[in-house]
Amino acid sequence: MMKAIEVTDLVKNFGTITALNGVSFSIEEGEVFGLLGPNGAGKTTLIRILTTLMRPTAGKAHVMGINVEKEKAAVRKLIGVVPQAMTSDLDLTGLENMDIYARFYDMPRKEREGRIEYLLGMVGLKERSNDLVATYSGGMRRRLEIAKGLVHKPSILILDEPTIGLDPQSRHVVWELLKNSLDEDGLTILLTTHYMEEAELLCERIAIIDYGKIVAIDTLEGLKRQLPDKDIVEITVGGINATKVIEEVKTLTFVHSIIYAEGTLRISVDNGAQAIPLLVGRIEDTGGRVISVLLKQQTLEDVFIHYTGRPIREEEAKKVSFLIGAGVPQKWGR
Ligand SMILES: Nc1ncnc2c1ncn2[C@@H]1O[C@H](COP(=O)(O)OP(=O)(O)OP(=O)(O)O)[C@@H](O)[C@H]1O
Ligand SMILES: [Mg+2]
């Protein structure tokens, strides 16, 4: 079957900086794929190559089987792009922005009008469509960008950090919107993000990119399975003979390891939620009294730390403060 996106050994150098250092992966049609990585990992560079705005130093990229370097125009028809820097004209209304964009694609007037009305409704901007974009909130501008990206019915929607700098509520609105846009026939989505929650919530598969290399790629569950530590169940017990309980619990096949300290058993298991009743049952059979149970599931954050050796949060903080400094509209009104 044809891949929606196929990237092979992609390299991009800027002078002495290697932004992409041999990246290979593919995305199936209809898939929602997330590229997760810290600042400077190479996400935007990869997207610029896929969207024909930049040539790779080496390697190949194909969109629906078409080479992005050789057939730029054909590739641009197939993709809708929501770039990291917002591109709507602040001096025009939402509707005007949409219309100009649709004209780029030579859509006949009737089709254009219908499509724009549908999309503005879908992103919840129908009532504000005749207001200047300068009067929109950050979240509204993002939603307009997404509507623009979808105007020509692309096969693939590519979004570079679709919720960067948005407050949590607007972020949820954008997530809902992206989920709804999947109703568009067979739409494939590629998005970059450094929000763990965004990748977890939206993406069927996730690639972690760091220093221009993909360090892990799988479904969320698959990525977690690769971690040496599984789910951890912490059970605090009273009135026990610890050695006896540990011996008993160890015989359960899904238990990987047990540490006992200060009345609490820290048990590593495959699936914490399923294991809890069985563990509690076994401990009570052995004469233990269960006082409390805590399940610590592995998160995407744990996966990220495992592969990159550091948490992503500090990167995020830097990025947002940078955006606040840079993202001031220049002009208001016409
Ligand atoms: N036009 C350019 N000229 C020189 N260096 C560049 C250029 N574009 C990107 N780089 C460098 O390439 C590396 C990757 O940058 P890129 O913008 O792809 O990262 P990113 O993962 O999108 O980061 P962010 O999360 O900050 O958006 C960085 O070291 C960056 O400084
Ligand atoms: Mg970027």
Side-chain angles (χ1 to χ4, degrees), residues 136-208:
Y136 286 11
S137 69
M140 290 165 73
R141 282 179 65 192
R142 276 282 156 196
R143 285 186 269 144
L144 181 65
E145 296 287 331
I146 293 170
K148 262 169 63 182
L150 288 169
V151 85
H152 58 298
K153 296 198 177 168
S155 307
I156 305 173
L157 183 65
I158 300 180
L159 307 103
D160 197 2
E161 310 237 16
T163 64
I164 184 76
L166 296 185
D167 60 272
Q169 197 196 343
S170 309
R171 195 170 291 158
H172 278 277
V173 172
V174 170
W175 290 340
E176 274 312 303
L177 167 59
L178 286 177
K179 281 193 200 154
N180 292 342
S181 69
L182 289 171
D183 296 343
E184 302 251 327
D185 301 327
L187 184 71
T188 305
I189 294 186
L190 164 62
L191 64 88
T192 75
T193 186
H194 56 240
Y195 294 122
M196 300 285 167
E197 198 188 352
E198 184 160 286
E200 284 183 337
L201 213 85
L202 290 177
C203 302
E204 287 156 346
R205 274 195 315 140
I206 298 166
I208 296 180

Side-chain angles (χ1 to χ4, degrees), residues 89 92 95-105 116:
D89 193 328
L92 299 177
L95 187 73
E96 287 165 346
N97 267 286
M98 291 286 285
D99 191 59
I100 288 179
Y101 208 68
R103 282 167 196 249
F104 284 147
Y105 291 97
I116 290 173

Side-chain angles (χ1 to χ4, degrees), residues 10 74 76 90 105 148 152 154 157 210 248 280 294 299 334:
L10 216 55
R76 285 181 191 175
L90 298 174
Y105 291 97
K148 262 169 63 182
H152 58 298
L157 183 65
D210 196 28
E248 275 297 313
V280 168
L294 187 83
T299 63
R334 261 181 224 258

Side-chain angles (χ1 to χ4, degrees), residues 38-45 84 160-161 192 319:
N39 292 154
K43 303 180 296 294
T44 298
T45 303
Q84 188 167 359
D160 197 2
E161 310 237 16
T192 75
K319 175 69 159 287

Side-chain angles (χ1 to χ4, degrees), residues 36-311:
L36 179 77
N39 292 154
K43 303 180 296 294
T44 298
T45 303
L46 178 62
I47 284 194
R48 291 180 70 82
I49 292 171
L50 286 173
T51 54
T52 76
L53 298 175
M54 190 183 264
R55 297 174 83 90
T57 308
K60 286 196 180 72
H62 289 87
V63 168
M64 304 299 275
I66 302 174
N67 187 305
V68 297
E69 281 186 87
K70 296 193 175 132
E71 296 182 62
K72 289 187 184 176
V75 168
R76 285 181 191 175
K77 276 204 183 114
L78 288 169
I79 57 174
V81 186
V82 180
Q84 188 167 359
M86 288 188 270
T87 56
S88 291
D89 193 328
L90 298 174
D91 296 338
L92 299 177
T93 68
L95 187 73
E96 287 165 346
N97 267 286
M98 291 286 285
D99 191 59
I100 288 179
Y101 208 68
R103 282 167 196 249
F104 284 147
Y105 291 97
D106 289 331
M107 290 174 81
R109 191 171 62 92
K110 266 238 135 16
E111 188 189 337
R112 208 166 66 216
E113 284 173 1
R115 181 76 179 152
I116 290 173
E117 194 184 336
Y118 164 74
L119 286 172
L120 285 173
M122 185 183 104
V123 301
L125 289 175
K126 209 172 210 159
E127 260 101 79
R128 299 292 304 269
S129 62
N130 289 314
D131 294 345
L132 295 185
V133 172
T135 67
Y136 286 11
S137 69
M140 290 165 73
R141 282 179 65 192
R142 276 282 156 196
R143 285 186 269 144
L144 181 65
E145 296 287 331
I146 293 170
K148 262 169 63 182
L150 288 169
V151 85
H152 58 298
K153 296 198 177 168
S155 307
I156 305 173
L157 183 65
I158 300 180
L159 307 103
D160 197 2
E161 310 237 16
T163 64
I164 184 76
L166 296 185
D167 60 272
Q169 197 196 343
S170 309
R171 195 170 291 158
H172 278 277
V173 172
V174 170
W175 290 340
E176 274 312 303
L177 167 59
L178 286 177
K179 281 193 200 154
N180 292 342
S181 69
L182 289 171
D183 296 343
E184 302 251 327
D185 301 327
L187 184 71
T188 305
I189 294 186
L190 164 62
L191 64 88
T192 75
T193 186
H194 56 240
Y195 294 122
M196 300 285 167
E197 198 188 352
E198 184 160 286
E200 284 183 337
L201 213 85
L202 290 177
C203 302
E204 287 156 346
R205 274 195 315 140
I206 298 166
I208 296 180
I209 184 167
D210 196 28
Y211 296 115
K213 265 192 178 315
I214 289 184
V215 293
I217 178 168
D218 208 330
T219 59
L220 179 60
E221 286 311 312
L223 287 170
K224 287 192 210 166
R225 266 200 303 276
Q226 290 165 25
L227 291 175
D229 279 338
K230 310 297 173 193
D231 285 354
I232 304 289
V233 179
E234 285 186 355
I235 303 183
T236 305
V237 272
I240 56 159
N241 173 343
T243 321
K244 189 175 160 211
V245 172
I246 290 173
E247 284 313 312
E248 275 297 313
V249 172
K250 260 190 186 157
T251 62
L252 296 167
T253 52
F254 54 84
V255 170
H256 294 281
S257 65
I258 309 178
I259 299 169
Y260 177 76
E262 294 167 5
T264 299
L265 293 157
R266 195 169 184 278
I267 308 165
S268 161
V269 295
D270 287 327
N271 181 323
Q274 281 175 15
I276 284 173
L278 301 168
L279 289 169
V280 168
R282 185 61 64 98
I283 291 167
E284 292 189 335
D285 289 348
T286 323
R289 182 167 47 84
V290 172
I291 297 168
S292 71
V293 180
L294 187 83
L295 169 59
K296 186 186 174 291
Q297 280 177 310
Q298 300 284 0
T299 63
L300 190 53
E301 176 99 36
D302 296 309
V303 176
F304 190 85
I305 293 170
H306 176 70
Y307 283 105
T308 67
R310 62 187 190 285

